[in-house]
Amino acid sequence: MQYQELINFLQNVGKDPSRLVFEDELTGIHNRRFLRSYLEHKVRWKGDEDYPLSVLVIDLDRFKEVNDNHGHATGDQVLTWIAALLKDVAGEEGLPIRFGGDEFMMLLPHTGKADARAVADRLLQLTRDRPFRIRDAGIVVPITMSIGVASAPEDAQSSRGLFHAADTAVYHAKQSGRDQAAAAGEVDPKRVFSKTALHRLQMTGIAGRSDELGIVAEALEGLSDGHSQLLVFEGAPGIGKTTLLDTVRRNLTGDETFFVTKVAADQQEAYRPYYLATRILVSLLNQREDKGTEVLGRMSEQEVAYLSRILPQLSGDESTPPEENEGSQVRQGIFSALARFLPRVVEFRPLVLIIDDLQFADEATLLLLHVLLERNELTVFVCGSALEALKLSGEIEAPPLERFFAGNHKDLSVRRAKLQPLGADDVAEYLTGVFPNLQMPDGFELDLTRTSQGNPLFLGEIIRKLVTDRKVTLVGQEWVIEPLEEGYLPRSLEEIVTEKIAALDEEGKQLLERASTLGEDIPLSILAGSADLDENRVLEFLDRAEALGLVSLDFNINDEVMRFLGKRVLDISYGTIDEKRRVGLHEQIGNYQEGLYQDRVLPSASLLAYHFKRSANEEKARRYEQIQVSYTQSVFNSDEAANYTGELLDEVDTGPRLTPESLPLLPNVLRTFMSAVRNIRLYPPDSKAIPR
């Protein structure tokens, strides 16, 4: 059986495949998506084979004036002129890239910093030797650029670090007068301190969560010993739940002891059965080099047929609802197939599932996790987050997670930990972590703690404000916070976020409104497609919103993904939308996603029902709600599920197993094997001990 359609689905699910291109439409050179994909898949950051690797960050000087004085058509001509110059200096290995807007990059594999600096100098000279002329008019328009140069491993050992080093260097070039190049390591710290401070703010991570990280460490030790566990961190919005989970994932990245994946539950899915399980499955399959084709090939046709009920791409045909008399058998078969398939996907290695927003998890997935946690075929550590008040506003009954806790706390290893607000000591620790050798006014950490009420998100935004307002300065080797004037500190997170939104231009504000209507984890292709805008204009907005501290960007399977800096930021942004505008946005997004659904890219009708219910289109809302109800009835019944949860994994095929008579022989086998390994290491190759 061929699974190419499934592989395409895994890579494109929830994205707009018509926009997943790797070439800039205007200039014809590589685009930002290509660069991100290249650095993720082509560069072995932990090896030496791909070093040295250099990058040039190229920023046009005062490009806005070109657009204002000569029009956007001339601006486009400038961008194609720059692309042509980049091609000329790229050589055989250089990769010219339009990063977004008027920002370009040059990736230089197997090129050290000195040679990369020489490429930058040649590019600057070309702008003088071949000045830009407006097409047809022949008028020369002076165009200059600032260039930052950085190299790995000298300046960084990751793509994020390399970007930051080069970006800091180009910032130095601009601060030094523009029309020049600067290399990382040559910059004046005083000229770039704000860039450095913001980078440190992004990279420092969390403070005041050592106890919580200790709980995670204990659970991981238990996982290594074969003990499964569910750990849920609960707290109010903005208390740092997502940041904590991201820290756990970051600390486990590269650890081959466990199979690690992170997903997020989604309110818009309205508890659709198995939606969270399929997200977990898609994430796990995408981590495999073969996208799961090998393990799928070992499944029976019946198991594949059951799985295709929730992943129709497996069969290549639309899933058809079961006959009424076969409904119970099919529902049980779906559950059983998933329970058998997930352990095989991870090859029965210990599994760490990091799940954000567990309060939106569906009942079928929670039941599946219950079975996986309870059985011995697979050891699982589920590390999740949830809102402290699990009974969400508007809910008639408690959500599935609360019912899950009530029914399973005795027979499962379930631990719930409440995240507390930060104290003054935590705030002081965080400040000194961001700014080493920090000098600050007496009692400053107490003022910040009172103002932020110990809310990590609010605290981070206050510190960002201090940096951008230059209230933090670098004096010699010390960071200094000067005394603040009365009333400087903001009174609420809403006040800060509202100021940031006001700093966006009109198109940026409209895109932010659209993003907050779409929700969390928004692929660039979806945001650009729903707005019907050129991707570079959306990238300019995203870069601006990221610089302001409204959103964060990550790269995930051929597309950049936007996430609000916190759920309170999302709520505040959505709350600023005029009611009439909000209804129109839901209608537009619903119509756009309807096309993706018909192309089988959007995974469910529940997302369409969500948007049309909030638009003025009651007919479509009813239609997709009914589709969702029919789907739910065909794949899951909670009353039935109680009858088969305890028996499904008894027949899981884990391959040949040792007989009881063989088990006592294992210690001697292992001792003999280790003796052989030591002999090979200790004895000369021609020794008799080697063949023995």
Short mmCIF file of all heavy atoms in Angstrom, two decimals, residues 521-545:
data_model
loop_
_atom_site.label_atom_id
_atom_site.label_comp_id
_atom_site.label_asym_id
_atom_site.label_seq_id
_atom_site.Cartn_x
_atom_site.Cartn_y
_atom_site.Cartn_z
N ASP A 521 -1.39 29.20 17.19
CA ASP A 521 -0.58 28.37 16.29
C ASP A 521 -1.03 28.56 14.84
O ASP A 521 -1.47 27.61 14.17
CB ASP A 521 -0.66 26.89 16.69
CG ASP A 521 -0.01 26.64 18.03
OD1 ASP A 521 1.05 27.23 18.29
OD2 ASP A 521 -0.55 25.85 18.81
N ILE A 522 -0.89 29.77 14.33
CA ILE A 522 -1.38 30.10 12.99
C ILE A 522 -0.23 30.01 11.99
O ILE A 522 0.74 30.76 12.08
CB ILE A 522 -1.94 31.54 12.97
CG1 ILE A 522 -2.94 31.73 14.11
CG2 ILE A 522 -2.59 31.83 11.63
CD1 ILE A 522 -3.22 33.17 14.41
N PRO A 523 -0.32 29.11 11.00
CA PRO A 523 0.70 29.06 9.97
C PRO A 523 0.68 30.33 9.12
O PRO A 523 -0.38 30.91 8.86
CB PRO A 523 0.31 27.83 9.13
CG PRO A 523 -0.56 27.01 10.02
CD PRO A 523 -1.29 28.00 10.89
N LEU A 524 1.86 30.75 8.69
CA LEU A 524 1.98 31.92 7.83
C LEU A 524 1.12 31.77 6.59
O LEU A 524 0.47 32.72 6.14
CB LEU A 524 3.46 32.11 7.44
CG LEU A 524 3.77 33.10 6.31
CD1 LEU A 524 3.36 34.51 6.68
CD2 LEU A 524 5.27 33.05 5.98
N SER A 525 1.11 30.57 6.00
CA SER A 525 0.34 30.35 4.77
C SER A 525 -1.15 30.59 4.99
O SER A 525 -1.84 31.11 4.10
CB SER A 525 0.57 28.92 4.25
OG SER A 525 0.17 27.96 5.20
N ILE A 526 -1.66 30.24 6.18
CA ILE A 526 -3.08 30.44 6.47
C ILE A 526 -3.38 31.93 6.69
O ILE A 526 -4.38 32.45 6.20
CB ILE A 526 -3.49 29.63 7.71
CG1 ILE A 526 -3.46 28.13 7.39
CG2 ILE A 526 -4.85 30.04 8.22
CD1 ILE A 526 -4.53 27.66 6.43
N LEU A 527 -2.52 32.61 7.43
CA LEU A 527 -2.74 34.04 7.68
C LEU A 527 -2.70 34.83 6.38
O LEU A 527 -3.56 35.67 6.12
CB LEU A 527 -1.69 34.56 8.66
CG LEU A 527 -1.84 36.02 9.12
CD1 LEU A 527 -3.22 36.26 9.74
CD2 LEU A 527 -0.75 36.39 10.11
N ALA A 528 -1.70 34.54 5.53
CA ALA A 528 -1.58 35.24 4.26
C ALA A 528 -2.73 34.85 3.32
O ALA A 528 -3.30 35.70 2.63
CB ALA A 528 -0.24 34.93 3.61
N GLY A 529 -3.08 33.56 3.29
CA GLY A 529 -4.14 33.10 2.40
C GLY A 529 -5.49 33.66 2.78
O GLY A 529 -6.27 34.07 1.91
N SER A 530 -5.81 33.69 4.07
CA SER A 530 -7.12 34.19 4.49
C SER A 530 -7.24 35.69 4.26
O SER A 530 -8.34 36.20 4.02
CB SER A 530 -7.36 33.87 5.97
OG SER A 530 -6.50 34.63 6.81
N ALA A 531 -6.12 36.40 4.31
CA ALA A 531 -6.13 37.84 4.06
C ALA A 531 -5.96 38.17 2.58
O ALA A 531 -6.13 39.33 2.18
CB ALA A 531 -5.02 38.52 4.86
N ASP A 532 -5.59 37.15 1.77
CA ASP A 532 -5.34 37.32 0.35
C ASP A 532 -4.30 38.41 0.11
O ASP A 532 -4.48 39.31 -0.71
CB ASP A 532 -6.64 37.65 -0.40
CG ASP A 532 -6.49 37.45 -1.91
OD1 ASP A 532 -5.58 36.70 -2.32
OD2 ASP A 532 -7.26 38.07 -2.67
N LEU A 533 -3.19 38.30 0.86
CA LEU A 533 -2.12 39.27 0.76
C LEU A 533 -0.83 38.60 0.32
O LEU A 533 -0.63 37.40 0.54
CB LEU A 533 -1.87 39.95 2.12
CG LEU A 533 -2.88 40.99 2.59
CD1 LEU A 533 -2.52 41.45 4.00
CD2 LEU A 533 -2.95 42.17 1.65
N ASP A 534 0.08 39.39 -0.28
CA ASP A 534 1.41 38.89 -0.58
C ASP A 534 2.09 38.49 0.72
O ASP A 534 2.02 39.20 1.73
CB ASP A 534 2.22 39.99 -1.29
CG ASP A 534 3.66 39.56 -1.54
OD1 ASP A 534 3.88 38.76 -2.45
OD2 ASP A 534 4.54 40.04 -0.80
N GLU A 535 2.77 37.36 0.69
CA GLU A 535 3.36 36.81 1.90
C GLU A 535 4.38 37.76 2.53
O GLU A 535 4.51 37.83 3.75
CB GLU A 535 4.02 35.47 1.58
CG GLU A 535 4.35 34.65 2.80
CD GLU A 535 4.73 33.22 2.45
OE1 GLU A 535 3.84 32.38 2.35
OE2 GLU A 535 5.94 32.99 2.27
N ASN A 536 5.10 38.52 1.72
CA ASN A 536 6.11 39.43 2.26
C ASN A 536 5.49 40.54 3.10
O ASN A 536 6.08 40.98 4.08
CB ASN A 536 6.95 40.02 1.14
CG ASN A 536 8.04 39.07 0.68
OD1 ASN A 536 9.01 38.83 1.38
ND2 ASN A 536 7.85 38.50 -0.50
N ARG A 537 4.29 40.97 2.72
CA ARG A 537 3.61 41.99 3.53
C ARG A 537 3.21 41.40 4.88
O ARG A 537 3.28 42.06 5.92
CB ARG A 537 2.40 42.53 2.78
CG ARG A 537 2.79 43.43 1.61
CD ARG A 537 1.63 43.70 0.69
NE ARG A 537 0.56 44.46 1.33
CZ ARG A 537 -0.56 44.81 0.70
NH1 ARG A 537 -0.74 44.46 -0.57
NH2 ARG A 537 -1.50 45.50 1.33
N VAL A 538 2.79 40.14 4.87
CA VAL A 538 2.44 39.48 6.14
C VAL A 538 3.69 39.27 6.98
O VAL A 538 3.66 39.44 8.21
CB VAL A 538 1.71 38.15 5.86
CG1 VAL A 538 1.35 37.47 7.17
CG2 VAL A 538 0.46 38.38 5.03
N LEU A 539 4.81 38.92 6.34
CA LEU A 539 6.07 38.74 7.08
C LEU A 539 6.52 40.05 7.72
O LEU A 539 7.03 40.05 8.84
CB LEU A 539 7.15 38.20 6.14
CG LEU A 539 7.07 36.71 5.81
CD1 LEU A 539 8.04 36.36 4.69
CD2 LEU A 539 7.37 35.87 7.05
N GLU A 540 6.35 41.16 7.00
CA GLU A 540 6.71 42.46 7.59
C GLU A 540 5.89 42.71 8.85
O GLU A 540 6.41 43.19 9.87
CB GLU A 540 6.48 43.57 6.57
CG GLU A 540 7.50 43.62 5.45
CD GLU A 540 7.30 44.81 4.53
OE1 GLU A 540 7.50 45.96 4.99
OE2 GLU A 540 6.92 44.60 3.37
N PHE A 541 4.60 42.40 8.78
CA PHE A 541 3.75 42.56 9.97
C PHE A 541 4.22 41.65 11.10
O PHE A 541 4.33 42.08 12.26
CB PHE A 541 2.29 42.25 9.62
CG PHE A 541 1.49 41.74 10.79
CD1 PHE A 541 1.14 42.58 11.83
CD2 PHE A 541 1.11 40.40 10.85
CE1 PHE A 541 0.42 42.09 12.92
CE2 PHE A 541 0.39 39.91 11.93
CZ PHE A 541 0.05 40.76 12.97
N LEU A 542 4.49 40.37 10.79
CA LEU A 542 4.89 39.43 11.83
C LEU A 542 6.21 39.84 12.48
O LEU A 542 6.36 39.74 13.71
CB LEU A 542 5.02 38.03 11.23
CG LEU A 542 3.71 37.35 10.83
CD1 LEU A 542 3.98 36.00 10.17
CD2 LEU A 542 2.80 37.16 12.04
N ASP A 543 7.16 40.31 11.68
CA ASP A 543 8.43 40.76 12.25
C ASP A 543 8.22 41.97 13.17
O ASP A 543 8.84 42.08 14.23
CB ASP A 543 9.41 41.11 11.13
CG ASP A 543 9.93 39.88 10.41
OD1 ASP A 543 9.83 38.78 10.98
OD2 ASP A 543 10.44 40.02 9.28
N ARG A 544 7.34 42.87 12.74
CA ARG A 544 7.04 44.04 13.56
C ARG A 544 6.33 43.63 14.85
O ARG A 544 6.68 44.09 15.95
CB ARG A 544 6.16 45.01 12.77
CG ARG A 544 5.67 46.23 13.54
CD ARG A 544 6.79 47.16 13.92
NE ARG A 544 6.32 48.37 14.55
CZ ARG A 544 6.96 49.02 15.51
NH1 ARG A 544 8.13 48.56 15.95
NH2 ARG A 544 6.47 50.13 16.02
N ALA A 545 5.35 42.73 14.74
CA ALA A 545 4.62 42.27 15.92
C ALA A 545 5.52 41.50 16.87
O ALA A 545 5.38 41.60 18.10
CB ALA A 545 3.43 41.41 15.50
#
